[in-house]
Amino acid sequence: MSEESNGDESEAETEAEGEAAEEEQSADLEAIRTQLEALNDDLEGLQSDLEAAETEDDLDVVEADIEEFRADLEEIEIPEPPEEEEDEDEDDEESEPAPEEELQETYDEIESDVSDLEDDLEDKRGPYAGDVIGEIDGVSSTITGTRWAEEGDGELIDATEAFLADLNDLLGTSVSLPGGLEPASGAELGENGQEEKTVPDELGATLDEATAAVDAADLDPDEDAETIAGLLEATDEFESAVDDATEWTDLEVREQLRREGFFDVLDHIKDFPPELHALKVHEKRGNVDQILLAYDSLGSEFMEEHCLEALERMGPEEAIDPMVQKANRRDEAAIRILGKIGVEDDQVVDTLLDYVDSNPTLQRPSFRALGEIGAEDAIQPIADQLVADEPDVRSWAARALGLIGDTRAIDPLADVLEDDEQDRVRASAAWALNQIGTQDALEIVAEYEDDRAYLVQAEAENVDLEPAA
């Protein structure tokens, strides 16, 4: 047989195999189309079943059928359409979609419809007693997590009483507020000196009793549907009433301060604004809490400056937290106040250490504050600044080490005293060694009585060495 005959037979076999593969693929696609059509018919039946469902048991049956339907749908795999060969002579008109693309579109539509059906199923369930409990807990959290004005306390009491009346009527219970509950602007001290519960605390405890009553009623979503719906309506009204109650933030700042007793110290107005006069009186009396109240409440730069000045003069430990927050925003006044307070608190030291290798504007107050605090963790970072390019930075670092007073700083300070090109930096090192005050430190300074710089000589003359034993 000739090679030409063999080639013809091979080509015929290849063509036959291709035709067989196309027929098989076409049959597979037709089978998928049939499956999708059947599922689409089943979906219409599920929709009808859901519309007819009247009880939770009915819905459970529909849910199980939907889960089975989705499992059948996910078993179907749509093959990828073959890649189209580009034909330069083909017109610009859009070609018809491949059969695989049409099947994928049908699959996606069914998948979207079954997702909608699942959502409809969830919407048709309930409501449940758990929904009521969740709503009550939400209102309770709002009450206990908000600061209320005195009139707000009264409005909350009235709203809670109205809600409890509805709840007791629907459940046949007798949940009630504590006797003698009256509005108050804040927690008060009882006879034993302990802080008593505020109105929001008392209301929160009572609402815990209300949720317990709902839970104990064991309400059935089918048999007790009307009761549950009534409870949800009552909680909605309760929530609206709480939303309308007067919060502390609803009051103007001056009214807030008045209610906190900030102006009670004023017999007459000497300075304007009156906040400034009251601030001065509180500083004189040492009322740190009122100064911090003004600092938190008053929004003007003028009053904030005066509050900070008062805190810097007083140096109260109660101001640590707000001053750390302000110092973290690169505020020089807050940094100075932390030094004035002088407490070696970890968060204070960490905050100040962030500025040791910063710009000179922040370095100066930070060095001094760390020195006033006596922060041992700052010794090495500050000692590293003894070789800074700026003479002022070197001088501030030396004085900070003197304030800390740790003997580990003696050697680096001695090097500065001996080698620094700037006499004022050397004078700061001599001052620091005098502050450390050990025999070794003082002996180093005493050697500079004839120094070229007057300031260094003055520090040397101040040395009072103990006679050798």
Side-chain angles (χ1 to χ4, degrees):
M1 184 177 296
S2 66
E3 291 182 4
E4 184 176 348
S5 297
N6 288 334
D8 292 341
E9 289 179 4
S10 177
E11 184 177 344
E13 290 175 359
T14 301
E15 185 176 346
E17 290 175 358
E19 292 176 355
E22 288 181 4
E23 291 177 0
E24 183 179 355
Q25 182 181 19
S26 177
D28 290 341
L29 295 178
E30 187 60 33
I32 292 174
R33 181 176 288 104
T34 301
Q35 286 179 284
L36 292 175
E37 290 174 354
L39 286 174
N40 202 40
D41 293 340
D42 292 343
L43 186 61
E44 293 178 1
L46 289 174
Q47 291 171 332
S48 299
D49 292 342
L50 179 59
E51 292 172 1
E54 296 181 352
T55 67
E56 288 293 315
D57 289 340
D58 294 340
L59 294 174
D60 289 340
V61 172
V62 176
E63 183 176 30
D65 290 343
I66 292 175
E67 289 176 354
E68 184 178 350
F69 178 91
R70 180 172 283 283
D72 291 341
L73 179 64
E74 291 175 350
E75 287 182 358
I76 297 177
E77 295 184 6
I78 310 294
E80 293 289 334
E83 294 184 5
E84 295 183 2
E85 295 182 1
E86 295 184 4
D87 188 350
E88 296 181 357
D89 297 332
E90 187 175 345
D91 294 336
D92 292 338
E93 295 181 5
E94 294 184 1
S95 58
E96 293 184 3
E100 292 87 352
E101 293 176 333
E102 292 179 344
L103 292 176
Q104 185 64 54
E105 183 177 348
T106 302
Y107 181 98
D108 292 341
E109 290 176 356
I110 294 175
E111 203 283 333
S112 176
D113 289 342
V114 75
S115 294
D116 292 341
L117 193 61
E118 289 168 337
D119 292 340
D120 294 341
L121 172 67
E122 289 305 313
D123 291 342
K124 196 164 183 178
R125 286 193 179 278
Y128 304 106
D131 298 328
V132 178
I133 292 173
E135 292 291 332
I136 297 174
D137 285 341
V139 178
S140 179
S141 295
T142 299
I143 291 174
T144 57
T146 304
R147 186 178 183 189
W148 304 94
E150 185 173 354
E151 54 266 44
D153 280 353
E155 293 160 353
L156 293 176
I157 291 172
D158 293 342
T160 306
E161 284 182 335
F163 169 70
L164 293 178
D166 291 337
L167 180 137
N168 291 331
D169 183 53
L170 289 165
L171 296 181
T173 52
S174 56
V175 182
S176 62
L177 291 174
L181 188 61
E182 296 291 339
S185 59
E188 300 176 354
L189 295 180
E191 296 179 358
N192 60 357
Q194 298 294 317
E195 192 176 86
E196 295 182 339
K197 286 185 175 180
T198 63
V199 167
D201 291 335
E202 296 283 10
L203 296 180
T206 302
L207 291 174
D208 286 342
E209 296 178 21
T211 57
V214 174
D215 189 41
D218 196 21
L219 298 174
D220 183 88
D222 293 325
E223 297 177 3
D224 302 307
E226 291 185 7
T227 300
I228 295 173
L231 288 170
L232 287 173
E233 183 178 351
T235 56
D236 285 344
E237 294 175 358
F238 185 28
E239 183 177 15
S240 296
V242 170
D243 288 341
D244 292 338
T246 306
E247 296 184 29
W248 181 256
T249 54
D250 294 335
L251 304 176
E252 295 293 335
V253 171
R254 187 167 289 182
E255 177 63 14
Q256 292 178 1
L257 291 173
R258 185 190 69 77
R259 296 190 183 197
E260 289 282 15
F262 183 75
F263 296 108
D264 291 354
V265 296
L266 296 181
D267 295 327
H268 62 282
I269 304 300
K270 181 178 179 182
D271 297 301
F272 187 84
E275 292 85 4
L276 178 58
H277 185 189
L279 180 70
K280 292 179 178 179
V281 177
H282 285 303
E283 180 185 350
K284 185 176 181 180
R285 297 183 182 182
N287 297 335
V288 178
D289 58 335
Q290 292 292 346
I291 295 174
L292 289 174
L293 172 66
Y295 169 75
D296 287 336
S297 303
L298 297 169
S300 73
E301 293 183 4
F302 173 80
M303 285 305 301
E304 179 179 290
E305 180 180 348
H306 282 282
C307 288
L308 293 174
E309 288 175 354
L311 291 173
E312 187 172 355
R313 287 187 290 267
M314 299 171 73
E317 292 187 23
E318 298 92 326
I320 287 178
D321 286 343
M323 290 305 102
V324 166
Q325 293 177 18
K326 193 169 182 62
N328 280 324
R329 298 193 294 272
R330 306 171 69 84
D331 188 271
E332 297 174 55
I335 292 172
R336 293 196 302 269
I337 292 169
L338 291 173
K340 179 68 174 180
I341 294 171
V343 174
E344 192 174 359
D345 180 271
D346 286 345
Q347 63 172 341
V348 172
V349 174
D350 289 344
T351 296
L352 298 176
L353 284 175
D354 286 342
Y355 301 128
V356 167
D357 191 17
S358 181
N359 63 69
T361 303
L362 294 172
Q363 284 177 304
R364 183 175 189 177
S366 298
F367 287 171
R368 182 171 182 82
L370 288 165
E372 291 172 328
I373 290 170
E376 294 184 0
D377 289 346
I379 294 173
Q380 188 59 55
I382 293 178
D384 292 341
Q385 297 300 315
L386 292 173
V387 295
D389 293 336
E390 291 291 331
D392 284 342
V393 174
R394 302 198 299 272
S395 179
W396 301 332
R399 290 184 172 272
L401 292 172
L403 289 173
I404 294 173
D406 193 286
T407 56
R408 287 174 291 177
I410 292 177
D411 288 343
L413 287 170
D415 291 339
V416 171
L417 180 55
E418 181 179 358
D419 299 329
D420 201 282
E421 297 176 355
Q422 296 289 329
D423 288 341
R424 58 193 172 93
V425 177
R426 296 175 57 244
S428 293
W431 178 89
L433 289 166
N434 269 335
Q435 293 299 307
I436 293 174
T438 63
Q439 188 75 7
D440 291 343
L442 296 176
E443 288 176 354
I444 293 172
V445 181
E447 295 177 0
Y448 290 84
E449 287 186 351
D450 297 327
D451 193 79
R452 66 177 186 270
Y454 169 76
L455 292 176
V456 176
Q457 287 182 30
E459 290 297 337
E461 291 171 359
N462 288 334
V463 172
D464 184 14
L465 284 172
E466 296 180 5

